[in-house]
């Protein structure tokens, strides 16, 4: 197994060497950095996530200081920032929230600058672009006043991807979505990771304002908090009355225009090794420093080798025997290097090498795929279940509860996966408490959870309770299927009869 992995890594390293340098980006707790190598220059853009200071940038590689050229501080010249306000209007009961959304958007507009190109969109089941990016403030205010809550489902992830695609087609140096939502998502085929992948690929930042639907449902705000954190954006949250002090809006504006661009000269690095190198970028300000390693590739330089003329002993004797006065001077011309073999290698050798690499990788993956796993699988059957759910399916199928947190839903990562469209991907959870009792919690499912025909958000389970999860009926019990065999024995007629 290890031999196959080492061989695979070796050939992947070679493929990196033969390949071209490509764009690179990273996101840390403090910085969002992207770089592009062009020959012996590394061009980078950076954006601090929390600090508005301009850091000192130092570049090193193997202890060698590299020259850093400051190109610009954002914004500069014709730099523009595209900002799309995206408002969740999916529930008619939240019209009071929409009115707060209007107020907060208008407060943010007073802080924006001329190079900010602003647009407005709303979403429920589908996204609607009410004002295109670059709309005047007057027309934008008219669109803001037209916002109203509707009664359709909330497809948060799909519509965020639509908004990202809309921003991607707009010509701007920075692109930002300001999302206003309660975090509820009813998507079936789109997920959190799809949004993050699309946003990072398109260079879109998601700033968000969370409006809690209720105390029990405020946990849904973690959805949009993570969207902001994983795209380098900012997140703020209102109180239960949807109020937000004006100074708390500042983080949504401060991260729009900080940072800038710079370049690093790589010509002082070693030119004799064809393997990939890396440089370390250090960003230092009064709050501390952040070090980031950036991969670069340095091509080997071909050295010209001067050929020296060689004359054998026989040729020397012949030259000595010829009188110089009767012969002109002899010029020895060095034979030029034959480039034909080099051209043949470039035209035929490199493609052949790529084909061999691909074949080797495919064979290695095939062998790894068909290799039997060496690890032992420990089944939950080795442990005594805490309790059981019995399905009302005619066969009384028993599902053992073997963990202290036991998840139920349609997704395959649940402990109990039920392939029924009436269930949400993560429908409910059963928690075993330290005192031995059990609680069931509705995980914001679409069709809810019922116990003995009563809808609940969280409730304690008791012996014999009937659970209705979507269209599935389950009975809760802590008794094993053979519990009747464990009943105590009753003694009867133990005296020996007396005979006369």
């Amino acid at each position: 197994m290890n031999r196959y992995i080492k061989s695979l890594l070796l050939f992947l390293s070679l493929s990196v060497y033969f390949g071209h340098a490509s764009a690179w980006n990273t996101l840390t707790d403090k910085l969002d950095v992207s770089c592009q190598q062009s020959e012996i220059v590394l061009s980078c853009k950076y954006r601090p996530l929390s600090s508005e200071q301009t850091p000192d940038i130092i570049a090193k590689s193997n202890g060698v200081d590299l020259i850093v050229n400051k190109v610009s501080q954002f914004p500069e010249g014709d730099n523009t920032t595209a900002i799309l306000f995206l408002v969740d209007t999916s529930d008619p009961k939240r019209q009071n929230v929409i009115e707060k959304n209007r107020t907060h958007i208008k407060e943010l507009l007073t802080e924006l600058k001329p190079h900010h190109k602003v647009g407005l969109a709303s979403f429920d089941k589908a996204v609607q672009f009410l004002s295109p990016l670059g709309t005047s403030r007057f027309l934008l205010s008219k669109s803001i006043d037209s916002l109203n809550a509707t009664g359709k489902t909330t497809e948060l992830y799909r519509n965020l991807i639509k908004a990202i695609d809309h921003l991607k087609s707009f010509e701007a140096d920075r692109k930002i979505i300001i999302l206003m939502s309660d975090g509820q998502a009813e998507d079936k085929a789109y997920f959190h990771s799809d949004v993050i992948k699309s946003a990072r690929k398109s260079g879109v930042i998601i700033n968000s304002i969370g409006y809690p639907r209720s105390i029990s449902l405020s946990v849904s705000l973690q959805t949009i908090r993570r969207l902001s954190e994983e795209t380098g954006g900012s997140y703020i949250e209102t109180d239960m009355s949807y109020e937000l002090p004006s100074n708390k809006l500042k983080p949504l504006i401060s991260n729009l225009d900080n940072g800038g661009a710079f370049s690093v000269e790589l010509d002082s690095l070693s030119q004799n090794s064809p393997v990939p190198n890396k440089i370390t970028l250090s960003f230092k300000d009064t709050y501390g420093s952040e070090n980031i390693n950036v991969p670069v590739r340095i091509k080997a330089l071909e050295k010209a080798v001067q050929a020296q003329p060689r004359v054998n002993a026989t040729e020397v004797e012949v030259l000595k025997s010829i009188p110089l006065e009767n012969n002109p001077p002899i010029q020895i011309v060095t034979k030029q290097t034959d480039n034909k073999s080099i051209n043949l290698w470039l035209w035929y050798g490199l493609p052949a090498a790529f084909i061999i690499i691909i074949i080797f990788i495919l064979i290695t993956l095939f062998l790894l795929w068909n290799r039997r796993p060496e690890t032992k699988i420990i089944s939950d059957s080795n442990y005594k279940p805490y309790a059981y759910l019995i399905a009302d399916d005619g066969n009384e199928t028993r599902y053992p509860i073997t963990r202290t947190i036991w998840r139920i839903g349609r997704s395959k990562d649940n402990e109990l996966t039920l392939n029924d469209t009436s269930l949400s991907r993560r429908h409910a959870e059963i928690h075993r408490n330290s005192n031995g009792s059990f609680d069931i919690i509705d995980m914001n499912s679409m069709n809810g959870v019922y116990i003995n025909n009563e809808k609940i958000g969280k409730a304690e389970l008791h012996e014999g309770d009937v659970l209705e999860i979507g269209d599935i009926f389950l009975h809760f019990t802590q008794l094993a299927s053979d519990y009747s065999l464990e009943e105590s024995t009753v003694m009867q007629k133990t005296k020996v009869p007396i005979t006369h």
Side-chain angles (χ1 to χ4, degrees):
M1 180 72 172
N2 291 334
R3 184 175 74 253
Y4 293 130
I5 294 176
K6 289 180 180 178
S7 301
L8 180 60
L9 292 176
L10 173 61
F11 275 83
L12 287 177
S13 299
L14 289 174
S15 65
V16 171
Y17 160 62
F18 283 112
H20 296 287
S22 58
W24 174 92
N25 66 79
T26 187
L27 178 65
T28 70
D29 293 337
K30 297 181 180 179
L31 287 168
D32 187 1
V33 181
S34 61
C35 296
Q36 174 75 46
Q37 182 181 350
S38 174
E39 296 299 333
I40 55 174
V41 175
L42 185 70
S43 301
C44 299
K45 296 179 181 179
Y46 74 97
R47 184 177 61 87
L49 302 187
S50 55
S51 172
E52 298 182 31
Q53 295 184 5
T54 301
D56 294 326
I57 304 173
I58 301 173
K60 289 187 177 183
S61 178
N62 298 325
V64 177
D65 290 327
L66 305 176
I67 299 176
V68 177
N69 298 315
K70 295 288 183 64
V71 177
S72 65
Q73 288 297 120
F74 193 89
E76 184 177 80
D78 297 331
N79 289 151
T80 58
T81 300
I83 305 170
L84 179 65
F85 287 97
L86 185 61
V87 183
D88 181 357
T89 59
S90 62
D91 190 344
K93 297 178 182 179
R94 296 176 65 249
Q95 183 60 35
N96 56 338
V97 180
I98 302 302
E99 293 172 1
K100 291 294 182 181
N101 294 155
R102 296 173 183 168
T103 302
H104 294 154
I105 294 174
K106 290 180 179 180
E107 289 180 11
L108 286 169
L109 289 178
T110 61
E111 302 291 333
L112 298 183
K113 300 175 182 177
H115 70 277
H116 293 144
K117 307 302 180 183
V118 186
L120 176 66
S122 64
F123 73 96
D124 42 39
K125 182 177 177 60
V127 65
Q128 297 180 359
F129 296 99
L130 306 177
S131 292
L133 292 164
T135 301
S136 67
R137 298 294 194 270
F138 174 77
L139 294 177
L140 188 65
S141 297
K142 296 292 185 181
S143 297
I144 293 170
D145 293 334
S146 68
L147 285 171
N148 285 296
T150 59
K152 298 181 181 179
T153 57
T154 310
E155 297 188 23
L156 174 64
Y157 298 136
R158 186 176 74 90
N159 290 317
L160 266 172
I161 294 173
K162 292 287 186 182
I164 291 169
D165 291 340
H166 181 73
L167 271 173
K168 182 171 64 175
S169 62
F170 188 79
E171 189 68 29
D173 299 283
R174 287 191 179 175
K175 301 173 182 181
I176 296 172
I177 291 175
I178 298 182
L179 173 65
M180 298 179 169
S181 173
D182 58 9
Q184 298 288 315
E186 297 173 335
D187 301 71
K188 298 295 184 181
Y190 297 86
F191 305 96
H192 174 94
S193 57
D194 298 328
V195 178
I196 300 302
K197 181 179 179 180
S198 178
R200 293 299 293 169
K201 183 178 179 180
S202 304
V204 175
I205 305 163
I206 300 177
N207 287 345
S208 56
I209 306 178
Y211 297 84
R213 192 179 184 93
S214 65
I215 294 177
S216 61
L217 296 178
S218 61
V219 68
S220 299
L221 296 177
Q222 294 178 4
T223 300
I224 58 176
R225 179 192 291 271
R226 280 192 59 201
L227 289 171
S228 293
E229 291 174 347
E230 295 181 29
T231 59
S234 297
Y235 170 80
I236 58 176
E237 185 177 317
T238 69
D239 56 23
M240 296 305 299
S241 60
Y242 314 118
E243 294 293 339
L244 192 66
S246 58
N247 61 341
K248 290 196 71 174
L249 290 170
K250 187 176 180 181
L252 301 182
I253 302 300
S254 61
N255 70 346
L256 301 183
D257 294 335
N258 51 359
F262 63 94
S263 63
V264 181
E265 297 182 12
L266 306 177
D267 54 353
S268 60
L269 293 178
S270 172
Q271 302 287 310
N272 299 321
S273 175
V275 299
N277 293 283
K278 67 178 180 180
I279 67 172
T280 301
L281 299 177
S282 298
F283 297 81
K284 297 183 179 180
D285 58 19
T286 57
Y287 297 103
S289 63
E290 180 87 357
N291 294 330
I292 296 176
N293 292 323
V294 181
V296 296
R297 188 173 66 87
I298 307 301
K299 296 181 180 179
L301 294 179
E302 296 181 357
K303 292 185 176 181
V305 180
Q306 296 181 354
Q308 298 295 330
R310 295 182 179 181
V311 182
N312 57 39
T314 304
E315 291 173 335
V316 172
E317 294 298 327
V318 172
L319 289 173
K320 287 182 178 179
S321 64
I322 299 176
L324 293 177
E325 63 272 16
N326 297 327
N327 295 279
I330 299 175
Q331 295 181 350
I332 301 176
V333 181
T334 303
K335 185 178 180 181
Q336 294 184 349
T337 304
D338 185 6
N339 292 324
K340 186 176 181 180
S341 60
I342 297 177
N343 293 332
L344 289 175
W345 164 249
L346 291 175
W347 285 103
Y348 300 103
L350 286 179
F354 277 117
I355 294 173
I356 293 172
I357 290 170
I358 293 171
I359 293 174
F360 184 86
I361 291 174
L362 291 175
I363 293 173
T364 302
L365 292 175
F366 176 79
L367 293 174
L368 291 175
W369 181 264
N370 289 278
R371 188 177 179 88
R372 293 184 178 180
E374 299 175 359
T375 57
K376 294 182 179 180
I377 299 175
I378 301 175
S379 174
D380 285 340
S381 61
N382 296 332
Y383 300 94
K384 183 177 179 181
Y386 297 121
Y388 302 86
L389 290 181
I390 304 175
D392 189 10
D393 56 1
N395 298 322
E396 295 188 350
T397 306
R398 299 175 70 90
Y399 302 106
I401 300 174
T402 56
R403 298 185 180 180
T404 55
I405 298 179
W406 205 66
R407 301 167 297 179
I408 306 171
R410 190 157 42 85
S411 176
K412 292 183 179 180
D413 60 353
N414 294 296
E415 278 67 38
L416 175 56
T417 300
L418 298 172
N419 188 14
D420 192 290
T421 55
S422 65
L423 271 68
S424 300
R425 293 191 302 272
R426 181 69 52 76
H427 200 103
E429 288 184 357
I430 294 178
H431 292 197
R432 183 179 185 269
N433 303 316
S434 58
N435 61 0
S437 63
F438 292 84
D439 292 333
I440 185 168
I441 302 171
D442 183 4
M443 304 304 291
N444 301 323
S445 62
M446 180 177 293
N447 292 319
V449 176
Y450 293 80
I451 296 181
N452 302 324
N453 295 324
E454 182 179 349
K455 187 173 183 180
I456 58 94
K458 177 180 179 181
E460 183 177 354
L461 289 172
H462 301 91
E463 181 68 31
D465 279 349
V466 178
L467 281 64
E468 183 181 350
I469 301 176
D471 293 335
I472 306 297
F473 287 86
L474 302 163
H475 298 264
F476 175 79
T477 182
Q478 293 181 259
L479 300 177
S481 59
D482 56 352
Y483 71 94
S484 59
L485 301 178
E486 301 175 2
E487 295 177 353
S488 58
T489 303
V490 179
M491 297 180 65
Q492 297 179 350
K493 297 182 180 181
T494 56
K495 290 185 179 183
V496 179
I498 301 174
T499 57
H500 298 282

